[in-house]
Amino acid sequence: MTIRHDMVDVLIIGAGASGAAMAYSLAETKMRILCLEQGEWIKPTDFPANGRDWEARRWTDFDWFPNRRGRVTDYPVDDADSPMKVANFNGVGGGTVLFTAHWPRMHPSDFKVNTLDGVADDWPIDYWTLEPFFEENDRMMGISGLPGDPGVPPRFPPLPPVPLGLTGMAYARAMNKLGWHWWPSDVAVATQEYEGRAKCINLNHCTPGCAQGAKGSVDITYWPLAIRSGVELRTRARVREITLNEHGMAAGVIYYDAEGQEHFQPAEMVIMACNGVGTPRLLLNSVSGKFANGLANSSGLVGKNLMLHPWPQVSGYVADKVDGGRGPMTNLWSKEFYETDTDRGFVRGYTMQFSRSAGPVAEAFLAASTGRLPWGKDHHRVFRTRLDHKIQVGIACEDLPEEHNRVVLDHDNCDSNGIPGAKIEYRLSENTQRMMEHGIARATEILQAAGATDIYCPRNSLNSPGHLLGTCRMGNDPARSVVNAWGRSHDVKNLFIVDGSVWVTGGGVNPTSTIQAIALYVADQIKQRLATLFD
Ligand SMILES: Cc1cc2nc3c(=O)[nH]c(=O)nc-3n(C[C@H](O)[C@H](O)[C@H](O)COP(=O)(O)OP(=O)(O)OC[C@H]3O[C@@H](n4cnc5c(N)ncnc54)[C@H](O)[C@@H]3O)c2cc1C
Ligand code: SF4
């Protein structure tokens, strides 16, 4: 028997980056707000950083690939038809629990690529509309950085930057030699005590979770404040489908609790924040007489135009020891090749992201699997020249939207509640491949200028860095978009989407800063229009 709950004013699905920002912002309205999240709270004591097996757990219960992690709270994502593997985390905090916390914003040009470059579509909003929300979000997340970067619009991070350290200095010297732009990165890591958060103590476990509480994951930034303001967050609540009423409006959702019990939660308004794979999956699973091909899908675009940010990593080894394994992973960026220059043979561009290397197990895996660490008598000697000698440059490529890159339902692989999983179909375009090769060649020059040798870039394992974008794009034309310029479904007037799926194009940056700025902007639009929202 289905358990029926009392009506809420606002129902948010997903407690990740965008769901948390939305919940916090709407809380001031004093509406009855409920968030349903399929995963659970992760206690700081559960993070791998607490044990000596921390690196091994990056490939087990804290793996960023859901299929390998295989928690009961995960859902399967079949990526066999894609050169890129999907990364995520399902729990309070969503992807921010595992994220590396690098914090660039989209550039103004990213919102108008059709006007500037004649490709894809312009966004219905621009950078300057989002600017106040970028700033609010930076304060809420506790961003560290250095104002004054000539490569990006002005921004005012509330905390001082992450120190460059030995690795950062090696990159900075190389970039100065080449005369290319670089700047200390904005990072969602507290470099000083901030709003009850402890400061970073340079443990370098950021990606599998920061037990120190210095990394700005939304379970410790937005959620405590939203809950204190009256928002209810119900965990182990996995939504199967959104239902419609006789007026064609969202009536509420059917979800399962941890025991597999079915519930019906009615709501005046439903806001989806399940990310660029989870949101189309849920819409495609919500079929009805009116929407036989998935809810809010009259355009046929739900699930299409998936963008994942191809991200080749170019690595090399320097003679002097650097400080891999200590401090946040990333602390420099370069915007030298961000904007279009058609002489390069492709449109749009990429951010270069400069990283420290990780711990000994990761280094052993990578060096051995690329033939850089022999077995036998030379093993230890060579390993000493690898560990703490690696520098690596990531190339954050913009992949333009293409309809054949998409998320579809996978009826053969279901989650623990029997709900069909997701399947990714994705190909690299010619433009992206040229951009990648250009970036790999420039990164190689940088590593050479830093004195690195044995430089390599595996092209056969392009992991998505967890950037899941574009599958329910925003736009003014209902035939070419799923939601309007303020996140409301064209088809269902009390249904909103605020996660990365509303992106029109992907830019060449890590997306979370912009995802959350959009969520705060949509929340602001909802607050301003409350009286006429469903007209
Ligand atoms: C390893 C890794 C490193 C990353 N590094 C960076 C970085 O350095 N910088 C950066 O900007 N970004 C980074 N990211 C990406 C970042 O985490 C995402 O951009 C961001 O979390 C996306 O926010 P979102 O709100 O769209 O979705 P998410 O944060 O993914 O949240 C979605 C939530 O919805 C829940 N959900 C989904 N379906 C359902 C359902 N049916 N019922 C109930 N709940 C549901 C999920 O459990 C999840 O908690 C990284 C991601 C990973 C995995
Ligand atoms: S380096 Fe800093 S932010 Fe990263 S895990 Fe350690 S304490 Fe946390």
Side-chain angles (χ1 to χ4, degrees):
M1 208 182 64
T2 306
I3 298 175
R4 295 182 67 87
H5 293 267
D6 291 343
M7 179 77 104
V8 294
D9 298 314
V10 181
L11 173 62
I12 300 170
I13 312 171
S18 57
M22 174 57 78
Y24 164 80
S25 181
L26 286 186
E28 67 171 343
T29 63
K30 302 295 173 208
M31 292 190 285
R32 186 166 173 206
I33 302 171
L34 167 68
C35 177
L36 298 179
E37 164 57 51
Q38 67 187 334
E40 41 208 1
W41 289 92
I42 307 296
K43 295 198 291 285
T45 46
D46 289 342
F47 282 131
N50 294 292
R52 297 176 78 176
D53 58 350
W54 74 274
E55 278 200 279
R57 292 180 66 196
R58 292 177 93 143
W59 285 279
T60 53
D61 58 336
F62 278 83
D63 200 310
W64 62 50
F65 300 128
N67 299 344
R68 212 153 53 194
R69 193 170 59 229
R71 292 174 181 235
V72 69
T73 45
D74 289 317
Y75 56 94
V77 182
D78 177 353
D79 47 24
D81 273 353
S82 166
M84 299 189 61
K85 308 296 156 208
V86 164
N88 69 11
F89 190 76
N90 298 307
V92 178
T96 66
V97 173
L98 296 190
F99 85 153
T100 309
H102 201 225
W103 203 251
R105 299 175 182 180
M106 291 267 275
H107 289 215
S109 67
D110 289 321
F111 294 86
K112 42 181 71 140
V113 303
N114 185 268
T115 302
L116 293 173
D117 300 308
V119 292
D121 285 300
D122 289 351
W123 289 57
I125 53 174
D126 63 13
Y127 177 90
W128 304 107
T129 305
L130 294 179
E131 198 202 26
F133 304 103
F134 275 124
E135 288 301 323
E136 179 185 1
N137 193 47
D138 279 9
R139 291 190 295 275
M140 291 300 300
M141 294 290 281
I143 302 305
S144 59
L146 185 67
D149 184 347
V152 298
R155 78 267 180 270
F156 305 94
L159 292 167
V162 169
L164 294 186
L166 293 175
T167 314
M169 289 301 287
Y171 292 127
R173 279 193 293 268
M175 293 301 273
N176 287 348
K177 239 190 245 176
L178 294 165
W180 289 344
H181 168 266
W182 67 271
W183 200 261
S185 302
D186 291 2
V187 188
V189 162
T191 46
Q192 294 175 350
E193 285 184 18
Y194 187 73
E195 302 287 338
R197 278 162 58 194
K199 72 174 190 177
C200 171
I201 50 171
N202 297 321
L203 294 173
N204 190 247
H205 302 116
C206 317
T207 305
C210 175
Q212 168 77 348
K215 185 176 84 168
S217 50
V218 297
D219 52 330
I220 62 167
T221 58
Y222 278 110
W223 273 118
L225 296 174
I227 289 167
R228 218 173 296 148
S229 305
V231 176
E232 182 190 350
L233 172 51
R234 213 175 280 165
T235 55
R236 291 304 302 272
R238 175 177 270 149
V239 178
R240 185 185 79 199
E241 64 178 282
I242 300 168
T243 59
L244 284 184
N245 65 21
E246 64 277 20
H247 308 294
M249 304 276 273
V253 303
I254 297 172
Y255 74 90
Y256 296 107
D257 67 20
E259 277 71 50
Q261 170 67 50
E262 190 174 301
H263 298 247
F264 176 66
Q265 175 62 60
E268 299 283 0
M269 182 196 312
V270 175
I271 300 177
M272 303 184 74
C274 303
N275 82 32
V277 172
T279 286
R281 173 187 180 230
L282 182 49
L283 288 173
L284 294 172
N285 271 321
S286 302
V287 288
S288 59
K290 187 166 181 205
F291 293 104
N293 298 320
L295 187 61
N297 196 16
S298 66
S299 64
L301 290 174
V302 169
K304 294 185 180 162
N305 295 303
L306 173 68
M307 295 172 282
L308 293 171
H309 284 156
W311 201 283
Q313 295 267 2
V314 186
S315 307
Y317 297 93
V318 288
D320 291 337
K321 257 193 161 186
V322 284
D323 47 5
R326 281 177 291 288
M329 279 295 283
T330 305
N331 56 8
L332 253 81
W333 64 39
S334 170
K335 302 293 185 175
E336 184 70 26
F337 305 103
Y338 197 86
E339 302 293 344
T340 295
D341 175 349
T342 44
D343 287 348
R344 296 182 195 138
F346 57 88
V347 290
R348 308 306 302 154
Y350 52 87
T351 299
M352 286 197 280
Q353 180 177 302
F354 300 81
S355 305
R356 292 178 219 271
S357 56
V361 176
E363 183 54 42
F365 262 20
L366 283 165
S369 64
T370 58
R372 283 166 176 77
L373 183 59
W375 292 112
K377 68 179 173 44
D378 277 340
H379 184 77
H380 287 119
R381 182 188 62 75
V382 175
F383 190 62
R384 277 191 285 275
T385 69
R386 301 294 183 215
L387 182 66
D388 276 349
H389 291 267
K390 180 185 268 174
I391 56 178
Q392 55 190 14
V393 179
I395 301 141
C397 293
E398 168 159 10
D399 50 341
L400 290 164
E402 296 176 288
E403 285 193 21
H404 58 79
N405 288 337
R406 58 182 189 156
V407 176
V408 294
L409 290 181
D410 182 357
H411 293 277
D412 296 331
N413 291 300
C414 296
D415 64 25
S416 55
N417 295 107
I419 307 170
K423 182 172 178 358
I424 306 299
E425 296 170 355
Y426 181 89
R427 291 201 300 273
L428 294 170
S429 73
E430 183 72 30
N431 193 67
T432 310
Q433 289 183 43
R434 289 206 194 127
M435 189 187 299
M436 281 171 47
E437 291 307 323
H438 186 273
I440 291 167
R442 299 296 81 72
T444 304
E445 284 180 63
I446 296 167
L447 295 192
Q448 284 166 342
T453 54
D454 212 354
I455 296 168
Y456 69 101
C457 174
R459 288 173 176 72
N460 57 351
S461 60
L462 275 180
N463 299 330
S464 156
H467 305 173
L468 314 171
L469 306 167
T471 48
C472 296
R473 66 209 317 241
M474 58 161 61
N476 294 323
D477 179 358
R480 294 188 43 76
S481 54
V482 177
V483 296
N484 71 10
W486 40 283
R488 186 171 84 170
S489 155
H490 291 299
D491 296 340
V492 183
K493 288 210 161 110
N494 62 344
L495 179 68
F496 291 79
I497 304 177
V498 293
D499 55 62
S501 40
V502 302
W503 285 38
V504 181
T505 55
V509 291
N510 320 58
T512 309
S513 164
T514 309
I515 287 175
Q516 291 185 305
I518 293 171
L520 293 176
Y521 156 74
V522 172
D524 187 61
Q525 291 290 312
I526 290 175
K527 285 185 277 193
Q528 287 187 36
R529 296 165 194 259
L530 266 182
T532 57
L533 206 52
F534 306 138
D535 293 347

